[in-house]
Amino acid sequence: MEQFQHIDVQAAHQLLQDNEEARLVDIRDIQSFSVAHAASAYHLTNDSIVDFMQQVEFDAPVLVMCYHALVAKVLLSIC
């Protein structure tokens, strides 16, 4: 994990607009994701992580959306 930052919604939106390679992943449960999620969010699950890792260039920023930053931090530490 090179860098972990807590950023607000405005900073995340700006980063996604400024960098076309930046990706947003949502690691919340399927019910929460189904109710509401960012339009460009990729629903990252145990079933989709292999496909995601094959598609993404990890030199680009990956923003992780979850309930609390704790889960995102653990996920990023193993990627």
Side-chain angles (χ1 to χ4, degrees), residues 1 4-5 9 15 22-23 25 29-30 33-34 37 39 43-46 51 68-69 71 76 79:
M1 174 175 61
F4 179 86
Q5 297 177 358
V9 173
L15 180 62
R23 297 290 301 267
V25 297
D29 66 86
I30 187 65
F33 184 83
S34 297
H37 62 272
H43 190 220
L44 189 65
T45 66
N46 290 339
D51 288 336
H68 305 285
V71 175
L76 293 175
C79 290

Side-chain angles (χ1 to χ4, degrees), residues 24-30 32-33 37 41-46 48-49 52 62-76:
L24 173 63
V25 297
D26 187 330
I27 61 173
R28 298 174 303 144
D29 66 86
I30 187 65
S32 298
F33 184 83
H37 62 272
Y42 182 94
H43 190 220
L44 189 65
T45 66
N46 290 339
S48 67
I49 193 165
F52 178 77
V62 176
L63 289 75
V64 180
M65 177 188 296
C66 65
Y67 300 110
H68 305 285
L70 298 175
V71 175
K73 194 170 188 176
V74 171
L75 174 68
L76 293 175

